[in-house]
Amino acid sequence: GQALLVLLLSAVVSLLGGLIFGYELGIISGALLQLQIDFHLSCFKQEILVSALLIGALLASLVGGILIDRHGRRRAILVSNLVLFGGSLILTLVTSFIGLVIGRMTVGFAISVSSMACCIYVSEMVAAHQRGLLVSLYEAGVTVGILLSYALNYIFADIGEGWRYMFGLAIVPTAMQFLSILFLPVNPVKLSSWDSDCQKGLIQLQSAEDREETKREPYKEKQYSFLDLFRARDNMRRRTLVGLGLVLFQQFTGQPNVLGYASKIFHSVGFQSNSSAILATVGLGAIKVVATLVAMAFADKAGRRVLLMAGCVVMATSVTTIGLTSRVAPLAMARDCKTAGDPNASYSLTQHPPMPVSSQPAVSPFPPALGAVRSRAGAGFAVARSLTEGFVSIQSRELGPDSLLTQKRGLVGQSKKERVDSTSPPFSGAPWTENMVWNWITLLSMMAFVSAFSVGFGPMTWLVLSEIYPAGIRGRAFAFCNSFNWAANLLISLSFLDLIDAIGFSWMFLLYGLMGVMAVVFIYLFVPETKGQSLEEIDQQFSRKR
């Protein structure tokens, strides 16, 4: 009974950790629509506010690993919950722009530490045959959190200062996670003696055979310095190569940007109204959830390598198809940022940025450079941006001169003459009816890409990272790789539109396809299979293998 309770609580901690992460990523889209009015935010201030979460997350990646290794995974999660509570409280009560930035940085720091600590803690708490399922549950929570945030965005959209409720509700799952982990034991690998409650049998997470083998050969935790990650000791260099390779290929296969065009593709296949486009993008998020559940079911059966390679093959095929079809049926690109104080002035972020769901100018809470910053695994935030574009567009229509919200806040919106008729073709001058077949192929390819990422790179990267490093340096190693994840994501986001200008949309996606093929080769050559093995066995496997 106690073992079952611990398993259930571990699952709750993993799921709530992902849900909080996804919720904080997605909630800014709806909140920023109101914040730009209440605080008269310029486009530059919007960029600062959106990027504040990234800055906090990067800081956490640099110092969070030390906290996790020195003070334990459980304590790190508890501390991150308290910090997140403080950040949410700041955002709920704030009255200045500086306070908003500080609150979002605090939240970014907390969810980044929590994301690393949750994956490591759960992977060490459960038996080998359950590890894939419970660690992957975190990734499912990220996507569910994003979808939940959009539902609440819609609910509070017409409520005065509704953004305070949006930010404040994050306290609820945070408190639930805090209470859940209080009933879980201290992480076994952090204990100095095998005479702990877990080993005495009060909380038995492994089978009888596993426990007998553990008693025969007790695992002695080694101490490592950060520089050992780059040394030959215990084959640490190869482990670092595997970790960085997975993180970088996860980004370079194009997932941060592919879904940025989701709303435009939905329009091209006939989802003409804004509401139907939003429904379609929410459906895309639901596909992600289902695909992640499939990954959870097969992570401990098919194995990590199989899911990673299969996902990469489908991803490479999908983006290559998108690249080829876009040469036949090109997609238009245009998006402007507008300040709340001057609806007629537009601030062009790039020469040819992606356009939102509707052709009318809309205030985008995610600028191309900073808005493409994603979640720990990345894919969740891509869905967030595509959902955001649809959500922002429909809200922009509601903020017209005749709306109640406009009368309350005095916002001058677009005139009715400037609105786009929902029955008109989505892109001016585009032969969208003639290219319908190609557009549908593009849509199906994008759905395949989402599913493949959610089965492969999405959950498996972080599962493997939580397994391949020795316990004594696992937190710092995970944080080191996580910092490269954020940095690579930002680099791709900053360079994406410039590369499109330089080589074209189709060639950009063909390049992503090539990177997908290279990822398959890398996984085949360097990433070992870890299913069904204890963390100690994985450590010994790496230590022996050159």
Side-chain angles (χ1 to χ4, degrees), residues 65-66 68-70 73 124 189-190 219-240 467-478 535-536 538-544 546:
I66 300 174
I68 294 170
D69 279 340
R70 289 189 179 177
R73 290 69 158 127
E124 294 172 342
V189 299
K190 295 302 294 180
Y219 177 72
K220 296 181 180 180
E221 181 181 324
K222 299 178 183 179
Q223 297 300 317
Y224 296 89
S225 69
F226 178 76
L227 292 179
D228 285 331
L229 287 173
F230 313 101
R231 293 171 179 160
R233 178 190 177 188
D234 292 336
N235 215 3
M236 292 296 292
R237 268 201 299 257
R238 180 168 180 258
R239 305 185 202 218
T240 303
E467 296 174 326
I468 63 175
Y469 292 103
I473 198 174
R474 192 170 289 142
R476 284 166 288 171
F478 199 108
L535 297 178
E536 292 77 18
I538 296 171
D539 185 23
Q540 292 168 6
Q541 173 187 346
F542 263 102
S543 297
R544 291 192 308 265
R546 303 302 299 173

Side-chain angles (χ1 to χ4, degrees), residues 10-332:
S10 298
V12 169
V13 168
S14 183
L15 181 63
L16 287 176
L19 188 143
I20 294 168
F21 199 108
Y23 181 85
E24 292 291 357
L25 290 173
I27 202 65
I28 189 64
S29 61
L32 199 58
L33 291 170
Q34 299 183 358
L35 290 172
Q36 61 167 330
I37 300 168
D38 292 348
F39 289 87
H40 306 288
L41 300 183
S42 64
C43 289
F44 177 72
K45 286 186 176 181
Q46 292 178 51
E47 292 179 14
I48 294 296
L49 184 56
V50 171
S51 62
L53 188 83
L54 167 64
I55 297 171
L58 280 173
L59 290 174
S61 297
L62 298 176
V63 302
I66 300 174
L67 170 65
I68 294 170
D69 279 340
R70 289 189 179 177
H71 301 285
R73 290 69 158 127
R74 180 175 178 270
R75 187 173 296 175
I77 297 174
L78 290 172
V79 170
S80 71
N81 288 152
L82 293 176
V83 174
L84 183 59
F85 178 83
S88 299
L89 205 59
I90 291 173
L91 290 170
T92 304
L93 304 176
V94 71
T95 57
S96 67
F97 173 72
I98 296 298
L100 286 172
V101 173
I102 293 174
R104 288 297 285 176
M105 285 182 63
T106 305
V107 166
F109 185 94
I111 63 175
S112 183
V113 171
S114 176
S115 69
M116 296 183 289
C118 278
C119 289
I120 296 174
Y121 182 78
V122 172
S123 72
E124 294 172 342
M125 280 299 301
V126 299
H129 67 278
Q130 299 162 328
R131 194 168 57 240
L133 172 67
L134 292 184
V135 176
S136 299
L137 191 60
Y138 185 97
E139 189 66 24
V142 172
T143 307
V144 172
I146 290 174
L147 295 179
L148 175 64
S149 71
Y150 278 92
L152 293 178
N153 280 346
Y154 189 81
I155 291 173
F156 293 112
D158 293 330
I159 297 178
E161 294 193 339
W163 54 271
R164 295 189 187 274
Y165 300 101
M166 297 178 192
F167 289 137
L169 283 175
I171 293 174
V172 177
T174 301
M176 292 173 62
Q177 188 186 42
F178 185 89
L179 294 175
S180 297
I181 204 168
L182 286 178
F183 293 96
L184 285 171
V186 176
N187 200 324
V189 299
K190 295 302 294 180
L191 297 174
S192 58
S193 170
W194 286 93
D195 255 352
S196 64
D197 288 345
C198 294
Q199 301 308 316
K200 286 177 181 176
L202 296 179
I203 302 173
Q204 297 176 347
L205 301 181
Q206 297 179 322
S207 65
E209 295 179 2
D210 291 335
R211 290 195 300 274
E212 288 299 324
E213 184 178 347
T214 299
K215 290 177 182 177
R216 288 196 302 269
E217 297 181 8
Y219 177 72
K220 296 181 180 180
E221 181 181 324
K222 299 178 183 179
Q223 297 300 317
Y224 296 89
S225 69
F226 178 76
L227 292 179
D228 285 331
L229 287 173
F230 313 101
R231 293 171 179 160
R233 178 190 177 188
D234 292 336
N235 215 3
M236 292 296 292
R237 268 201 299 257
R238 180 168 180 258
R239 305 185 202 218
T240 303
L241 172 67
V242 171
L244 290 181
L246 287 175
V247 166
L248 294 177
F249 274 118
Q250 183 193 59
Q251 300 297 324
F252 292 152
T253 47
Q255 65 83 19
N257 296 310
V258 169
L259 292 185
Y261 293 87
S263 57
K264 184 165 34 176
I265 293 174
F266 284 133
H267 256 307
S268 69
V269 297
F271 292 96
Q272 295 300 298
S273 69
N274 290 314
S275 57
S276 63
I278 287 181
L279 182 62
T281 48
V282 170
L284 197 64
I287 292 174
K288 271 188 60 61
V289 175
V290 173
T292 306
L293 294 177
V294 172
M296 289 168 51
F298 287 96
D300 293 313
K301 296 178 181 178
R304 286 65 154 153
R305 271 170 58 89
V306 172
L307 293 180
L308 279 169
M309 287 193 291
C312 283
V313 169
V314 175
M315 287 169 63
T317 304
S318 301
V319 290
T320 300
T321 302
I322 293 175
L324 293 175
T325 55
S326 65
R327 297 183 68 85
V328 180
L331 299 176

